[in-house]
Amino acid sequence: GAVVSQHPSRVICKSGTSVKIECRSLDFQATTMFWYRQFPKQSLMLMATSNEGSKATYEQGVEKDKFLINHASLTLSTLTVTSAHPEDSSFYICSASLGTAYNEQFFGPGTRLTVL
Amino acid sequence: AQSVAQPEDQVNVAEGNPLTVKCTYSVSGNPYLFWYVQYPNRGLQFLLKYITGDNLVKGSYGFEAEFNKSQTSFHLKKPSALVSDSALYFCAVRAQSGTYKYIFGTGTRLKVLA
């Protein structure tokens, strides 16, 4: 099956620093990638949809300048949490899709971000 | 507005017994429906999907789901539960037209007791 990786799996940083999370589709080309945030014991909250070569589409309430998304190639999307604060601590999960409505999304293993 | 409901926060079932995890949806048009499983501190793993055709869909790890259009439901089932099935299960829907985004249910924690 299709494999999506995320790096790093876990990161701890100081308040005010920026953190970059990578999402890669390893064995397929993903025209669309999604970034989610998951709080403990809660569902996934979609943050943004990114398409290769174009600007990401952010969900309502998600700060574009805070969560920078770049989808530079068909196999790589990055999420940068800028000037991170403790309230940004969360589990971030990416997914990748072949870009048709009937194709399932393939999820990465997630990144646990802790901001001190 | 589109929505997905998983009415049970937790389902407990004895090992070897059949299990059902419920999901109902509300979308305009024909839905594409998906089930995923999440183990602790992991991403989501795809189990199965309904796009069209047979209402009974078979998926990974012995799971199946039944699409019921009149009841707008897509319940996940397994004839005989295993302790290793204990995890968090998410139902998701995507509208046939427009965006490829998922709408997720709130998740149901399944506990299979030995």
Side-chain angles (χ1 to χ4, degrees), chain B residues 75-91:
Chain B
H75 301 331
L76 181 70
K77 300 182 180 188
K78 188 173 182 180
S80 178
L82 300 172
V83 172
S84 57
D85 292 330
S86 298
L88 187 57
Y89 290 81
F90 288 101
C91 180

Side-chain angles (χ1 to χ4, degrees), chain A residues 38 43 99 101-105, chain B residues 36 38 49 94 100 102 105:
Chain A
Q38 186 179 30
S43 188
Y102 51 83
N103 284 122
E104 58 270 31
Q105 291 180 24
Chain B
Y36 285 84
Q38 185 181 32
K49 65 182 176 183
R94 183 191 289 162
Y100 302 146
Y102 281 166

Side-chain angles (χ1 to χ4, degrees), chain B residues 61 97 109:
Chain B
Y61 313 120
S97 60
R109 188 162 300 281

Side-chain angles (χ1 to χ4, degrees), chain B residues 13-111:
Chain B
V13 64
E15 187 175 30
N17 282 3
L19 69 87
T20 298
V21 182
K22 295 180 180 177
C23 172
T24 59
Y25 65 90
S26 174
V27 297
S28 56
N30 293 320
Y32 290 163
L33 295 155
F34 304 81
W35 273 103
Y36 285 84
V37 60
Q38 185 181 32
Y39 295 98
N41 296 309
R42 302 293 300 274
L44 276 65
Q45 294 179 34
F46 170 73
L47 284 178
L48 49 81
K49 65 182 176 183
Y50 172 81
I51 304 301
T52 186
D54 231 353
N55 288 344
L56 185 63
V57 179
K58 294 191 183 295
S60 306
Y61 313 120
F63 284 94
E64 58 189 30
E66 186 167 10
F67 172 65
N68 187 317
K69 189 171 183 177
S70 62
Q71 296 186 5
T72 62
S73 67
F74 189 55
H75 301 331
L76 181 70
K77 300 182 180 188
K78 188 173 182 180
S80 178
L82 300 172
V83 172
S84 57
D85 292 330
S86 298
L88 187 57
Y89 290 81
F90 288 101
C91 180
V93 66
R94 183 191 289 162
Q96 191 172 30
S97 60
T99 178
Y100 302 146
K101 295 190 295 187
Y102 281 166
I103 299 168
F104 277 96
T106 50
T108 298
R109 188 162 300 281
L110 173 66
K111 272 195 172 180

